[in-house]
Amino acid sequence: MQKIVAINREFGDPLLQTDNSRQEEWDNNKLAQYLVILNNYPQSLVSYEMLLSMIANPSFYYINSGHVFKNREQILNTVLRIDTATIGSKKATLLYNAYDNMILTYSDKKNALFPLIKLTSQNKKVKSLKEVSGNSNYLVIDFWHTACGPCRQQHPEFSRISKAYADQSELKFISISMDSKMQDWRSYLQNHNFNFINYWLDSKQYPAFQVEAGIVSYPRYILVDMRTNRIVNGNIKIEHLTTVLENLLKENS
């Protein structure tokens, strides 16, 4: 346990580097040190708890929340080394399920079927995804929640881009709140102006949605082809959104 505490202290303050290679090096070093300890103590309940937590919530340990997925083979080897006799069959099942869930969540969602969700409008009307998209071939979806600072900061840019493509009928821009309480979302909208359409998703009705759609962090921008109901791009950075849309329009011209 002392060794784990020492690692946490060493890597307690993330670099937040603009240089991605340095950030990747930081993540790799942290993961490597964790795995050495966990592999050295496969019979420790602390090792089990640490591994389970790291798999279930990678963004708590790494700036790049997909880092654990990138190193999934090393992680799996460690998972398989954890002593089942020590932790018990129930805990072992939890660990294996968490690993499988991580693989499903972080796997590339390109061409994957997008869940057929129903959305609630600000006036509390429930609509299907098809109703929301109308005659548009593509939905550009901004997934966010009111407590997410980066989500709020990027709304003006999402608004600007949606305005820029207002004459493109094949594109429909919408925003979907993932707030657990609808009232939190409605209250926020009452105090902020938006020029793009907002909906709320009742996540209790779709407990597997975030895994199926690969939503591991916010904001999350997803492009869906409504003709096939498949994901074209499941993780678009706001700074790349215009390029993605321009390429899409060229391909379909």
Side-chain angles (χ1 to χ4, degrees):
M1 185 63 183
Q2 290 178 342
K3 293 181 179 180
I4 292 176
V5 170
I7 294 174
N8 287 336
R9 286 176 178 169
E10 180 182 355
F11 294 95
D13 295 318
L15 294 176
L16 290 174
Q17 295 290 335
T18 54
D19 183 346
N20 290 334
S21 62
R22 288 198 64 191
Q23 188 62 63
E24 187 69 15
E25 181 182 1
W26 184 86
D27 281 342
N28 282 333
N29 288 339
K30 185 178 183 182
L31 178 65
Q33 291 192 42
Y34 275 142
L35 292 183
V36 167
I37 294 173
L38 299 180
N39 281 308
N40 283 340
Y41 301 95
Q43 294 179 318
S44 170
L45 285 174
V46 174
S47 295
Y48 157 75
E49 295 288 353
M50 178 70 188
L51 187 57
L52 178 63
S53 177
M54 185 169 64
I55 293 171
N57 188 16
S59 60
F60 181 80
Y61 294 90
Y62 306 100
I63 298 304
N64 178 357
S65 60
H67 187 74
V68 170
F69 177 77
K70 290 180 182 178
N71 293 275
R72 54 194 177 277
E73 292 184 8
Q74 292 173 273
I75 299 290
L76 178 59
N77 289 335
T78 305
V79 168
L80 295 175
R81 281 179 57 83
I82 296 295
D83 187 62
T84 304
T86 300
I87 66 174
S89 59
K90 289 184 178 179
K91 282 186 170 61
T93 299
L94 282 175
L95 185 60
Y96 301 148
N97 287 344
Y99 180 84
D100 289 342
N101 192 62
M102 184 266 290
I103 296 298
L104 287 172
T105 303
Y106 284 87
S107 60
D108 186 5
K109 295 298 186 291
K110 185 176 181 180
N111 293 323
L113 283 172
F114 190 78
L116 293 174
I117 54 178
K118 290 187 177 181
L119 304 171
T120 303
S121 67
Q122 195 173 358
N123 60 6
K124 298 185 179 181
K125 289 186 178 180
V126 177
K127 296 184 178 182
S128 69
L129 209 60
K130 285 291 185 183
E131 289 176 304
V132 168
S133 63
N135 295 322
S136 301
N137 291 334
Y138 298 95
L139 269 181
V140 185
I141 309 174
D142 160 38
F143 287 95
W144 70 293
H145 60 88
T146 57
C148 170
C151 299
R152 300 192 302 270
Q153 291 170 4
Q154 292 181 22
H155 275 158
E157 180 64 6
F158 187 72
S159 177
R160 185 194 67 78
I161 294 173
S162 66
K163 279 184 180 180
Y165 290 93
D167 61 340
Q168 297 290 343
S169 60
E170 61 236 83
L171 297 177
K172 182 74 170 286
F173 290 77
I174 67 170
S175 182
I176 299 178
S177 165
M178 300 296 288
D179 282 281
S180 57
K181 296 179 180 179
M182 181 172 62
Q183 189 54 46
D184 291 343
W185 163 70
R186 295 183 75 236
S187 297
Y188 185 87
L189 292 187
Q190 288 172 0
N191 297 306
H192 297 80
N193 294 321
F194 293 91
N195 71 335
F196 48 91
I197 304 169
N198 273 270
Y199 293 96
W200 175 73
L201 177 69
D202 185 355
S203 56
K204 292 180 182 177
Q205 299 294 320
Y206 303 95
F209 172 73
Q210 287 173 272
V211 172
E212 294 172 353
I215 299 175
V216 297
S217 60
Y218 297 95
R220 193 79 168 188
Y221 302 100
I222 296 179
L223 178 63
V224 180
D225 187 336
M226 293 306 299
R227 297 166 300 179
T228 60
N229 202 50
R230 291 187 179 274
I231 297 173
V232 178
N233 192 320
N235 186 17
I236 311 171
K237 302 299 182 186
I238 191 68
E239 59 268 25
H240 301 151
L241 182 54
T242 297
T243 301
V244 169
L245 296 178
E246 285 298 312
N247 290 337
L248 178 73
L249 293 173
K250 286 179 183 178
E251 291 173 4
N252 289 276
S253 61

